[in-house]
Amino acid sequence: MELIYKSTRNSNETATASMAILKGLADEGGLFVPDSVPAFDVSLDELAGMDYREVAYNVMKLMLTDFTEDELRHCINSAYDDKFDTKEIAPLVKKAGAYYLELFHGSTIAFKDMALSILPYLLTTSAKKNNVHNEIVILTATSGDTGKAALAGFADVPGTKIIVFYPKNGVSPIQEKQMVTQKGDNTFVVGIKGNFDDAQTGVKKMFSDAELNSYLNEKGYQFSSANSINIGRLVPQMVYYVYAYTRLVADGTIKAGDKINVVVPTGNFGNILAAYYAKQMGLPINKFICASNENKVLYDFFSTGNYNRNREFILTSSPSMDILISSNLERLIYRIAGNDAVKNKELMTALSGKGEYTITDDMKKELADFYGNYASEAETAATIKKVYESDSYIMDTHTAVAATVYDKYVSETGDKTPTVIASTASPYKFTRSVMNAIDSEYDKKTDFELVDELNRLSGVKVPQAIEDIRTAPVRHDTVCEKDEMLAEVKKFLGI
């Protein structure tokens, strides 16, 4: 049965999976959501006997129903190949009383690789299916990791161009170096004088500008997105939660049907939403533990039912979570509002206008599976040091936020359900913050001296992604004001 996608802001706007992937964002700024989430058609025990690619096929075929088996398998096999530096694409490592799902073994050493390795194949396949002849312009805002993963995925892909905006002083030095050294004639990277929310707002504004989109079409271009607002990003993220669960079944830790908890360091809400959709499919998840840093807008939301972005924006050591407008939360709001596009649009209009909205008590009851908390900068650093000393395991700052919040959850509830923590980035991506947490004396060293010291302490090989940027020349040095983003897009496209 074909699954239809609807806009969260207009129930009359529908799309097939491939068209939703192509468009990225629905009209009026809405997001595409499935009209229902289909149940697994193979058992959890059967999934436990499959490798990552087979699990991916058996999850994604249910969500991307207008792709043929050959098309989908081609996308999966092209994405999940030897670009990952471990035999298991997403290893599950037991440390410090939890199971760390290492999602950073791809080419840019962050979890975004899991979805952005496959998105170019899904997108180009979608274009062919829908007879699209325009050049596709991937327009993306990044808080640090999406940018490089998208650039790496789309670099020199025929029929595409990619433009990435990032907050000039809001990412780690390694993250910035990864982006500004990106090769590819179809790539363009711009630092903006502002924060991630400014970049994301600017990108969304361009997407929803009908006049601009008509002009682009005249010139032979059309926008699409590599952010998690694109369901082509979200669906592949569902896979690794299913995979993690089935590894626990395969090794006898749990039996098929037993519940697990999932902890996700959360910024734009896409990663944890993918776990939520996996539960709708039939994955036995007990609690979604939503971990925030000091930009704790989501913690406050889950505590009170009020979402309020009117607050100070804090730059932290976990910059990929330095976000006050969590775009993907809209998909959850739509669902707990009873799939009511009118109600959802009313709340999103309030967010863009007054900067806040409050959900009803009935909607709040629908969030019983979620637990929210946050980690301060000091707590994040203390967790890195503690787990290094207890388990000789070094985690990045975002994973440490998740681990800190998990400890708070267990302390509050006593819940000992087996728990998977999404480990979203390699510590090599945030060497200064990570090494300073272990010993403040490390702050005297240069970024690449810290890389070598981290290698010595952890025994983990320096990833190729880091070696590649040690001496790579800067290829992108454009910086602009936040109200100049459209001008930079037009300049790059030559229109």
Side-chain angles (χ1 to χ4, degrees):
M1 193 176 81
E2 185 164 74
L3 193 65
I4 295 300
Y5 285 81
K6 291 184 174 180
S7 167
T8 53
R9 300 189 192 183
N10 180 356
S11 57
N12 293 320
E13 185 183 356
T14 61
T16 60
S18 62
M19 187 52 80
I21 289 169
L22 266 178
K23 286 191 74 171
L25 196 65
D27 297 339
E28 302 175 46
L31 307 185
F32 285 112
V33 290
D35 59 357
S36 62
V37 179
F40 295 129
D41 61 1
V42 294
S43 71
L44 292 167
D45 279 316
E46 286 175 273
L47 288 165
M50 298 178 185
D51 67 8
Y52 194 91
R53 293 170 192 84
E54 279 299 315
V55 172
Y57 175 72
N58 278 282
V59 172
M60 292 173 67
K61 71 178 185 182
L62 300 173
M63 299 294 289
L64 308 179
T65 53
D66 66 329
F67 283 70
T68 66
E69 179 173 351
D70 284 349
E71 287 169 340
L72 195 49
R73 285 194 184 276
H74 166 71
C75 293
I76 289 166
N77 293 335
S78 300
Y80 302 119
D81 58 9
D82 58 9
K83 70 172 70 69
F84 290 83
D85 65 14
T86 47
K87 188 178 173 207
E88 269 203 278
I89 285 167
L92 200 58
V93 180
K94 187 176 185 184
K95 296 287 179 183
Y99 296 88
Y100 287 82
L101 179 61
E102 293 187 344
L103 299 170
F104 52 76
H105 291 284
S107 56
T108 76
I109 57 176
F111 82 101
K112 307 291 172 78
D113 285 324
M114 302 300 295
L116 283 164
S117 291
I118 193 170
L119 183 61
Y121 297 100
L122 293 174
L123 195 63
T124 50
T125 301
S126 295
K128 283 179 197 158
K129 290 176 77 65
N130 290 279
N131 298 311
V132 168
H133 302 295
N134 282 343
E135 191 155 17
I136 296 164
V137 180
I138 305 298
L139 192 61
T140 290
T142 185
S143 54
D145 286 336
T146 286
K148 175 58 182 179
L151 288 161
F154 282 94
D156 293 323
V157 171
T160 70
K161 292 187 187 296
I162 176 162
I163 304 168
V164 170
F165 292 97
Y166 74 96
K168 176 61 185 155
N169 297 309
V171 300
S172 80
I174 297 283
Q175 284 177 312
E176 182 170 48
K177 190 86 188 283
Q178 282 188 298
M179 287 189 283
V180 299
T181 57
Q182 176 65 49
K183 296 176 183 175
D185 291 340
N186 65 335
T187 66
F188 186 46
V189 180
V190 183
I192 69 154
K193 295 175 185 174
N195 58 40
F196 169 74
D197 290 329
D198 295 324
Q200 182 168 251
T201 299
V203 164
K204 281 187 167 183
K205 191 175 173 184
M206 284 185 264
F207 267 105
S208 56
D209 184 335
E211 195 176 318
L212 171 63
N213 282 275
S214 175
Y215 177 64
L216 282 172
N217 187 50
E218 281 174 33
K219 299 294 183 182
Y221 295 114
Q222 69 186 64
F223 285 144
S224 190
S225 173
N227 283 86
S228 53
I229 55 176
N230 191 321
I231 59 102
R233 264 280 304 274
L234 205 57
V235 170
Q237 290 180 277
M238 296 167 64
V239 173
Y240 49 70
Y241 292 107
V242 179
Y243 181 76
Y245 183 93
T246 59
R247 293 322 93 181
L248 294 174
V249 172
D251 69 15
T253 299
I254 60 174
K255 292 188 179 69
D258 290 349
K259 290 193 171 182
I260 63 166
N261 292 331
V262 170
V263 190
V264 187
T266 310
N268 219 15
F269 209 75
N271 202 3
I272 197 166
L273 183 74
Y276 176 80
Y277 278 163
K279 179 172 182 173
Q280 309 301 309
M281 237 180 200
L283 196 67
I285 297 176
N286 174 46
K287 279 284 181 189
F288 303 97
I289 300 170
C290 178
S292 300
N293 63 18
E294 288 182 353
N295 291 289
K296 56 189 181 67
V297 65
L298 286 166
Y299 164 61
D300 292 341
F301 169 71
F302 283 115
S303 303
T304 66
N306 173 253
Y307 192 99
N308 191 333
R309 66 173 170 83
N310 299 315
R311 61 184 69 204
E312 180 191 359
F313 185 95
I314 302 167
L315 291 173
T316 73
S317 61
S318 47
S320 298
M321 299 159 65
D322 290 347
I323 292 172
L324 296 182
I325 304 172
S326 300
S327 286
N328 268 291
L329 185 63
E330 178 171 347
R331 285 183 163 113
L332 181 63
I333 296 299
Y334 171 83
R335 194 164 180 88
I336 65 174
N339 297 344
D340 184 338
V342 174
K343 175 65 176 170
N344 176 71
K345 186 176 180 181
E346 179 188 307
L347 294 172
M348 295 307 124
T349 301
L351 180 64
S352 61
K354 297 184 299 179
E356 66 174 314
Y357 62 80
T358 302
I359 61 173
T360 65
D361 288 342
D362 284 344
M363 290 169 72
K364 199 173 176 194
K365 284 176 192 162
E366 297 287 320
L367 299 176
D369 291 348
F370 285 86
Y371 166 90
N373 214 319
Y374 76 101
S376 69
E377 286 290 89
E379 288 170 331
T380 302
T383 295
I384 292 171
K385 184 179 176 74
K386 179 183 80 173
V387 175
Y388 167 64
E389 290 176 345
S390 68
D391 288 64
S392 300
Y393 186 66
I394 301 180
M395 64 181 73
D396 92 294
T397 45
H398 303 74
T399 308
V401 167
T404 303
V405 168
Y406 176 57
D407 286 345
K408 290 182 179 183
Y409 171 77
V410 172
S411 172
E412 285 177 25
T413 64
D415 181 8
K416 294 297 174 67
T417 301
T419 296
V420 170
I421 295 178
S423 183
T424 53
S426 165
Y428 281 103
K429 206 151 194 173
F430 304 94
T431 46
R432 188 162 301 279
S433 297
V434 167
M435 297 302 284
N436 281 352
I438 292 169
D439 187 338
S440 60
E441 285 296 304
Y442 284 122
D443 205 30
K444 296 169 184 170
K445 294 182 180 289
T446 67
D447 287 316
F448 285 103
E449 285 173 340
L450 290 174
V451 164
D452 295 328
E453 194 64 17
L454 176 54
N455 170 241
R456 187 184 69 78
L457 282 191
S458 67
V460 175
K461 185 183 174 191
V462 178
Q464 193 58 43
I466 299 296
E467 295 292 6
D468 287 346
I469 61 171
R470 279 186 194 261
T471 56
V474 170
R475 297 168 59 92
H476 305 275
D477 57 5
T478 304
V479 178
C480 75
E481 300 290 343
K482 59 190 179 186
D483 59 0
E484 296 171 345
M485 291 168 62
L486 175 56
E488 291 298 338
V489 168
K490 286 182 171 179
K491 195 185 302 179
F492 176 61
L493 296 178
I495 57 176

